[in-house]
PDB file of all heavy atoms in Angstrom:
ATOM      1  N   PHE A   1     112.992 103.515  98.883  1.00 96.00           N
ATOM      2  CA  PHE A   1     111.729 102.991  99.431  1.00 96.00           C
ATOM      3  C   PHE A   1     111.037 104.037 100.307  1.00 96.00           C
ATOM      4  O   PHE A   1     109.827 104.219 100.242  1.00 96.00           O
ATOM      5  CB  PHE A   1     111.980 101.706 100.229  1.00 96.00           C
ATOM      6  CG  PHE A   1     112.591 100.612  99.406  1.00 96.00           C
ATOM      7  CD1 PHE A   1     113.945 100.334  99.494  1.00 96.00           C
ATOM      8  CD2 PHE A   1     111.815  99.862  98.536  1.00 96.00           C
ATOM      9  CE1 PHE A   1     114.521  99.326  98.732  1.00 96.00           C
ATOM     10  CE2 PHE A   1     112.376  98.849  97.765  1.00 96.00           C
ATOM     11  CZ  PHE A   1     113.740  98.588  97.856  1.00 96.00           C
ATOM     12  N   GLY A   2     111.829 104.712 101.115  1.00 96.00           N
ATOM     13  CA  GLY A   2     111.267 105.748 101.983  1.00 96.00           C
ATOM     14  C   GLY A   2     110.743 106.934 101.201  1.00 96.00           C
ATOM     15  O   GLY A   2     109.695 107.492 101.540  1.00 96.00           O
ATOM     16  N   ALA A   3     111.455 107.322 100.147  1.00 97.00           N
ATOM     17  CA  ALA A   3     111.023 108.462  99.339  1.00 97.00           C
ATOM     18  C   ALA A   3     109.640 108.207  98.737  1.00 97.00           C
ATOM     19  O   ALA A   3     108.744 109.055  98.816  1.00 97.00           O
ATOM     20  CB  ALA A   3     112.049 108.746  98.247  1.00 97.00           C
ATOM     21  N   VAL A   4     109.467 107.039  98.148  1.00 97.00           N
ATOM     22  CA  VAL A   4     108.188 106.703  97.508  1.00 97.00           C
ATOM     23  C   VAL A   4     107.078 106.576  98.545  1.00 97.00           C
ATOM     24  O   VAL A   4     105.999 107.170  98.389  1.00 97.00           O
ATOM     25  CB  VAL A   4     108.297 105.406  96.682  1.00 97.00           C
ATOM     26  CG1 VAL A   4     106.930 104.951  96.198  1.00 97.00           C
ATOM     27  CG2 VAL A   4     109.228 105.616  95.505  1.00 97.00           C
ATOM     28  N   LEU A   5     107.322 105.825  99.610  1.00 98.00           N
ATOM     29  CA  LEU A   5     106.285 105.629 100.624  1.00 98.00           C
ATOM     30  C   LEU A   5     105.932 106.950 101.309  1.00 98.00           C
ATOM     31  O   LEU A   5     104.761 107.207 101.608  1.00 98.00           O
ATOM     32  CB  LEU A   5     106.720 104.578 101.638  1.00 98.00           C
ATOM     33  CG  LEU A   5     105.636 104.064 102.577  1.00 98.00           C
ATOM     34  CD1 LEU A   5     104.420 103.533 101.811  1.00 98.00           C
ATOM     35  CD2 LEU A   5     106.193 102.975 103.480  1.00 98.00           C
ATOM     36  N   SER A   6     106.913 107.792 101.518  1.00 98.00           N
ATOM     37  CA  SER A   6     106.673 109.108 102.096  1.00 98.00           C
ATOM     38  C   SER A   6     105.707 109.910 101.217  1.00 98.00           C
ATOM     39  O   SER A   6     104.722 110.476 101.699  1.00 98.00           O
ATOM     40  CB  SER A   6     108.005 109.853 102.249  1.00 98.00           C
ATOM     41  OG  SER A   6     107.816 111.128 102.779  1.00 98.00           O
ATOM     42  N   GLY A   7     105.986 109.933  99.931  1.00 97.00           N
ATOM     43  CA  GLY A   7     105.125 110.672  99.001  1.00 97.00           C
ATOM     44  C   GLY A   7     103.738 110.078  98.879  1.00 97.00           C
ATOM     45  O   GLY A   7     102.741 110.803  98.810  1.00 97.00           O
ATOM     46  N   LEU A   8     103.650 108.754  98.858  1.00 98.00           N
ATOM     47  CA  LEU A   8     102.344 108.102  98.744  1.00 98.00           C
ATOM     48  C   LEU A   8     101.482 108.352  99.981  1.00 98.00           C
ATOM     49  O   LEU A   8     100.282 108.646  99.861  1.00 98.00           O
ATOM     50  CB  LEU A   8     102.508 106.604  98.505  1.00 98.00           C
ATOM     51  CG  LEU A   8     103.067 106.197  97.137  1.00 98.00           C
ATOM     52  CD1 LEU A   8     103.333 104.693  97.092  1.00 98.00           C
ATOM     53  CD2 LEU A   8     102.128 106.619  96.012  1.00 98.00           C
ATOM     54  N   LEU A   9     102.090 108.244 101.166  1.00 98.00           N
ATOM     55  CA  LEU A   9     101.312 108.483 102.396  1.00 98.00           C
ATOM     56  C   LEU A   9     100.920 109.954 102.523  1.00 98.00           C
ATOM     57  O   LEU A   9      99.814 110.262 102.982  1.00 98.00           O
ATOM     58  CB  LEU A   9     102.085 108.019 103.628  1.00 98.00           C
ATOM     59  CG  LEU A   9     102.210 106.503 103.797  1.00 98.00           C
ATOM     60  CD1 LEU A   9     102.978 106.159 105.072  1.00 98.00           C
ATOM     61  CD2 LEU A   9     100.846 105.827 103.810  1.00 98.00           C
ATOM     62  N   TYR A  10     101.800 110.859 102.108  1.00 98.00           N
ATOM     63  CA  TYR A  10     101.429 112.281 102.149  1.00 98.00           C
ATOM     64  C   TYR A  10     100.290 112.540 101.175  1.00 98.00           C
ATOM     65  O   TYR A  10      99.335 113.244 101.509  1.00 98.00           O
ATOM     66  CB  TYR A  10     102.628 113.188 101.833  1.00 98.00           C
ATOM     67  CG  TYR A  10     102.225 114.636 101.871  1.00 98.00           C
ATOM     68  CD1 TYR A  10     102.014 115.282 103.080  1.00 98.00           C
ATOM     69  CD2 TYR A  10     101.986 115.340 100.701  1.00 98.00           C
ATOM     70  CE1 TYR A  10     101.588 116.604 103.127  1.00 98.00           C
ATOM     71  CE2 TYR A  10     101.568 116.658 100.738  1.00 98.00           C
ATOM     72  CZ  TYR A  10     101.366 117.284 101.947  1.00 98.00           C
ATOM     73  OH  TYR A  10     100.936 118.595 101.984  1.00 98.00           O
ATOM     74  N   ARG A  11     100.396 111.991  99.985  1.00 97.00           N
ATOM     75  CA  ARG A  11      99.342 112.190  98.977  1.00 97.00           C
ATOM     76  C   ARG A  11      98.008 111.649  99.481  1.00 97.00           C
ATOM     77  O   ARG A  11      96.958 112.245  99.274  1.00 97.00           O
ATOM     78  CB  ARG A  11      99.725 111.506  97.675  1.00 97.00           C
ATOM     79  CG  ARG A  11      98.674 111.693  96.581  1.00 97.00           C
ATOM     80  CD  ARG A  11      99.025 110.949  95.323  1.00 97.00           C
ATOM     81  NE  ARG A  11     100.047 111.695  94.597  1.00 97.00           N
ATOM     82  CZ  ARG A  11     100.701 111.217  93.553  1.00 97.00           C
ATOM     83  NH1 ARG A  11     100.467 109.992  93.137  1.00 97.00           N
ATOM     84  NH2 ARG A  11     101.587 111.955  92.934  1.00 97.00           N
ATOM     85  N   ALA A  12      98.027 110.503 100.176  1.00 98.00           N
ATOM     86  CA  ALA A  12      96.798 109.874 100.663  1.00 98.00           C
ATOM     87  C   ALA A  12      96.169 110.638 101.822  1.00 98.00           C
ATOM     88  O   ALA A  12      94.948 110.647 101.967  1.00 98.00           O
ATOM     89  CB  ALA A  12      97.073 108.438 101.077  1.00 98.00           C
ATOM     90  N   THR A  13      96.991 111.282 102.665  1.00 97.00           N
ATOM     91  CA  THR A  13      96.469 111.911 103.878  1.00 97.00           C
ATOM     92  C   THR A  13      96.559 113.429 103.894  1.00 97.00           C
ATOM     93  O   THR A  13      95.796 114.078 104.604  1.00 97.00           O
ATOM     94  CB  THR A  13      97.234 111.406 105.117  1.00 97.00           C
ATOM     95  OG1 THR A  13      98.592 111.846 105.024  1.00 97.00           O
ATOM     96  CG2 THR A  13      97.165 109.890 105.232  1.00 97.00           C
ATOM     97  N   GLY A  14      97.521 113.992 103.190  1.00 95.00           N
ATOM     98  CA  GLY A  14      97.745 115.436 103.240  1.00 95.00           C
ATOM     99  C   GLY A  14      98.422 115.882 104.530  1.00 95.00           C
ATOM    100  O   GLY A  14      98.482 117.070 104.824  1.00 95.00           O
ATOM    101  N   LYS A  15      98.962 114.957 105.301  1.00 97.00           N
ATOM    102  CA  LYS A  15      99.586 115.281 106.583  1.00 97.00           C
ATOM    103  C   LYS A  15     101.099 115.070 106.504  1.00 97.00           C
ATOM    104  O   LYS A  15     101.562 114.016 106.060  1.00 97.00           O
ATOM    105  CB  LYS A  15      98.999 114.425 107.694  1.00 97.00           C
ATOM    106  CG  LYS A  15      97.511 114.665 107.910  1.00 97.00           C
ATOM    107  CD  LYS A  15      96.999 113.838 109.064  1.00 97.00           C
ATOM    108  CE  LYS A  15      95.520 113.984 109.255  1.00 97.00           C
ATOM    109  NZ  LYS A  15      95.043 115.311 109.475  1.00 97.00           N
ATOM    110  N   GLN A  16     101.847 116.056 107.017  1.00 97.00           N
ATOM    111  CA  GLN A  16     103.312 115.955 106.992  1.00 97.00           C
ATOM    112  C   GLN A  16     103.804 114.775 107.831  1.00 97.00           C
ATOM    113  O   GLN A  16     104.788 114.133 107.468  1.00 97.00           O
ATOM    114  CB  GLN A  16     103.972 117.249 107.490  1.00 97.00           C
ATOM    115  CG  GLN A  16     103.784 118.419 106.587  1.00 97.00           C
ATOM    116  CD  GLN A  16     102.693 119.360 107.059  1.00 97.00           C
ATOM    117  OE1 GLN A  16     102.050 119.136 108.070  1.00 97.00           O
ATOM    118  NE2 GLN A  16     102.475 120.422 106.300  1.00 97.00           N
ATOM    119  N   ILE A  17     103.132 114.494 108.929  1.00 98.00           N
ATOM    120  CA  ILE A  17     103.566 113.385 109.781  1.00 98.00           C
ATOM    121  C   ILE A  17     103.453 112.053 109.029  1.00 98.00           C
ATOM    122  O   ILE A  17     104.248 111.138 109.251  1.00 98.00           O
ATOM    123  CB  ILE A  17     102.788 113.348 111.134  1.00 98.00           C
ATOM    124  CG1 ILE A  17     103.494 112.421 112.129  1.00 98.00           C
ATOM    125  CG2 ILE A  17     101.347 112.953 110.932  1.00 98.00           C
ATOM    126  CD1 ILE A  17     104.832 112.902 112.594  1.00 98.00           C
ATOM    127  N   ALA A  18     102.488 111.944 108.115  1.00 98.00           N
ATOM    128  CA  ALA A  18     102.362 110.728 107.309  1.00 98.00           C
ATOM    129  C   ALA A  18     103.573 110.568 106.394  1.00 98.00           C
ATOM    130  O   ALA A  18     104.051 109.448 106.173  1.00 98.00           O
ATOM    131  CB  ALA A  18     101.074 110.765 106.493  1.00 98.00           C
ATOM    132  N   ALA A  19     104.084 111.680 105.892  1.00 98.00           N
ATOM    133  CA  ALA A  19     105.289 111.630 105.058  1.00 98.00           C
ATOM    134  C   ALA A  19     106.477 111.131 105.875  1.00 98.00           C
ATOM    135  O   ALA A  19     107.285 110.327 105.400  1.00 98.00           O
ATOM    136  CB  ALA A  19     105.581 113.007 104.458  1.00 98.00           C
ATOM    137  N   VAL A  20     106.578 111.592 107.114  1.00 98.00           N
ATOM    138  CA  VAL A  20     107.667 111.160 107.993  1.00 98.00           C
ATOM    139  C   VAL A  20     107.521 109.665 108.309  1.00 98.00           C
ATOM    140  O   VAL A  20     108.497 108.911 108.242  1.00 98.00           O
ATOM    141  CB  VAL A  20     107.696 111.994 109.296  1.00 98.00           C
ATOM    142  CG1 VAL A  20     108.728 111.448 110.278  1.00 98.00           C
ATOM    143  CG2 VAL A  20     107.964 113.458 108.982  1.00 98.00           C
ATOM    144  N   ILE A  21     106.325 109.232 108.624  1.00 98.00           N
ATOM    145  CA  ILE A  21     106.084 107.813 108.914  1.00 98.00           C
ATOM    146  C   ILE A  21     106.423 106.961 107.691  1.00 98.00           C
ATOM    147  O   ILE A  21     107.033 105.898 107.812  1.00 98.00           O
ATOM    148  CB  ILE A  21     104.634 107.592 109.393  1.00 98.00           C
ATOM    149  CG1 ILE A  21     104.452 108.223 110.778  1.00 98.00           C
ATOM    150  CG2 ILE A  21     104.270 106.110 109.403  1.00 98.00           C
ATOM    151  CD1 ILE A  21     103.015 108.349 111.232  1.00 98.00           C
ATOM    152  N   GLY A  22     106.053 107.438 106.510  1.00 98.00           N
ATOM    153  CA  GLY A  22     106.394 106.726 105.277  1.00 98.00           C
ATOM    154  C   GLY A  22     107.889 106.594 105.099  1.00 98.00           C
ATOM    155  O   GLY A  22     108.391 105.537 104.684  1.00 98.00           O
ATOM    156  N   GLU A  23     108.618 107.651 105.417  1.00 97.00           N
ATOM    157  CA  GLU A  23     110.083 107.613 105.317  1.00 97.00           C
ATOM    158  C   GLU A  23     110.668 106.625 106.323  1.00 97.00           C
ATOM    159  O   GLU A  23     111.566 105.844 105.983  1.00 97.00           O
ATOM    160  CB  GLU A  23     110.660 109.015 105.546  1.00 97.00           C
ATOM    161  CG  GLU A  23     112.156 109.091 105.444  1.00 97.00           C
ATOM    162  CD  GLU A  23     112.711 108.851 104.052  1.00 97.00           C
ATOM    163  OE1 GLU A  23     111.982 109.043 103.059  1.00 97.00           O
ATOM    164  OE2 GLU A  23     113.885 108.445 103.956  1.00 97.00           O
ATOM    165  N   ILE A  24     110.152 106.639 107.536  1.00 97.00           N
ATOM    166  CA  ILE A  24     110.668 105.740 108.578  1.00 97.00           C
ATOM    167  C   ILE A  24     110.390 104.279 108.219  1.00 97.00           C
ATOM    168  O   ILE A  24     111.286 103.430 108.300  1.00 97.00           O
ATOM    169  CB  ILE A  24     110.087 106.105 109.961  1.00 97.00           C
ATOM    170  CG1 ILE A  24     110.622 107.475 110.399  1.00 97.00           C
ATOM    171  CG2 ILE A  24     110.411 105.026 110.992  1.00 97.00           C
ATOM    172  CD1 ILE A  24     109.923 108.065 111.609  1.00 97.00           C
ATOM    173  N   ILE A  25     109.178 103.971 107.806  1.00 97.00           N
ATOM    174  CA  ILE A  25     108.843 102.590 107.443  1.00 97.00           C
ATOM    175  C   ILE A  25     109.542 102.187 106.147  1.00 97.00           C
ATOM    176  O   ILE A  25     110.136 101.112 106.050  1.00 97.00           O
ATOM    177  CB  ILE A  25     107.311 102.402 107.328  1.00 97.00           C
ATOM    178  CG1 ILE A  25     106.660 102.564 108.703  1.00 97.00           C
ATOM    179  CG2 ILE A  25     106.977 101.042 106.718  1.00 97.00           C
ATOM    180  CD1 ILE A  25     105.154 102.656 108.666  1.00 97.00           C
ATOM    181  N   GLY A  26     109.473 103.064 105.152  1.00 97.00           N
ATOM    182  CA  GLY A  26     110.036 102.745 103.841  1.00 97.00           C
ATOM    183  C   GLY A  26     111.535 102.527 103.870  1.00 97.00           C
ATOM    184  O   GLY A  26     112.047 101.562 103.300  1.00 97.00           O
ATOM    185  N   THR A  27     112.249 103.429 104.517  1.00 94.00           N
ATOM    186  CA  THR A  27     113.699 103.290 104.574  1.00 94.00           C
ATOM    187  C   THR A  27     114.136 102.516 105.797  1.00 94.00           C
ATOM    188  O   THR A  27     114.956 101.607 105.698  1.00 94.00           O
ATOM    189  CB  THR A  27     114.378 104.678 104.565  1.00 94.00           C
ATOM    190  OG1 THR A  27     114.144 105.276 103.303  1.00 94.00           O
ATOM    191  CG2 THR A  27     115.863 104.562 104.786  1.00 94.00           C
ATOM    192  N   GLY A  28     113.600 102.889 106.962  1.00 93.00           N
ATOM    193  CA  GLY A  28     114.053 102.286 108.209  1.00 93.00           C
ATOM    194  C   GLY A  28     113.813 100.802 108.296  1.00 93.00           C
ATOM    195  O   GLY A  28     114.608 100.072 108.889  1.00 93.00           O
ATOM    196  N   ILE A  29     112.749 100.334 107.689  1.00 95.00           N
ATOM    197  CA  ILE A  29     112.443  98.900 107.762  1.00 95.00           C
ATOM    198  C   ILE A  29     112.602  98.223 106.384  1.00 95.00           C
ATOM    199  O   ILE A  29     113.430  97.337 106.221  1.00 95.00           O
ATOM    200  CB  ILE A  29     111.038  98.680 108.347  1.00 95.00           C
ATOM    201  CG1 ILE A  29     111.002  99.235 109.785  1.00 95.00           C
ATOM    202  CG2 ILE A  29     110.672  97.190 108.323  1.00 95.00           C
ATOM    203  CD1 ILE A  29     109.646  99.302 110.407  1.00 95.00           C
ATOM    204  N   ILE A  30     111.835  98.682 105.396  1.00 96.00           N
ATOM    205  CA  ILE A  30     111.885  98.038 104.074  1.00 96.00           C
ATOM    206  C   ILE A  30     113.265  98.209 103.428  1.00 96.00           C
ATOM    207  O   ILE A  30     113.868  97.241 102.962  1.00 96.00           O
ATOM    208  CB  ILE A  30     110.770  98.587 103.157  1.00 96.00           C
ATOM    209  CG1 ILE A  30     109.394  98.280 103.759  1.00 96.00           C
ATOM    210  CG2 ILE A  30     110.902  98.004 101.748  1.00 96.00           C
ATOM    211  CD1 ILE A  30     108.246  99.013 103.095  1.00 96.00           C
ATOM    212  N   GLY A  31     113.768  99.430 103.402  1.00 94.00           N
ATOM    213  CA  GLY A  31     115.082  99.681 102.808  1.00 94.00           C
ATOM    214  C   GLY A  31     116.204  98.965 103.542  1.00 94.00           C
ATOM    215  O   GLY A  31     117.135  98.442 102.926  1.00 94.00           O
ATOM    216  N   ALA A  32     116.111  98.929 104.866  1.00 92.00           N
ATOM    217  CA  ALA A  32     117.133  98.236 105.652  1.00 92.00           C
ATOM    218  C   ALA A  32     117.128  96.744 105.342  1.00 92.00           C
ATOM    219  O   ALA A  32     118.190  96.128 105.188  1.00 92.00           O
ATOM    220  CB  ALA A  32     116.900  98.471 107.145  1.00 92.00           C
ATOM    221  N   MET A  33     115.944  96.166 105.224  1.00 93.00           N
ATOM    222  CA  MET A  33     115.862  94.739 104.917  1.00 93.00           C
ATOM    223  C   MET A  33     116.287  94.459 103.473  1.00 93.00           C
ATOM    224  O   MET A  33     116.899  93.428 103.191  1.00 93.00           O
ATOM    225  CB  MET A  33     114.454  94.228 105.201  1.00 93.00           C
ATOM    226  CG  MET A  33     114.160  94.208 106.702  1.00 93.00           C
ATOM    227  SD  MET A  33     112.433  93.889 107.129  1.00 93.00           S
ATOM    228  CE  MET A  33     112.169  92.294 106.428  1.00 93.00           C
TER     229      MET A  33
END
């Protein structure tokens, strides 16, 4: 979940921090649940 969301947010924004946020939300919250 984090891998996909990380890539999608980076693609949408072009910012590395967006990739990190995608990983945190995707894995840390969605993947954990």
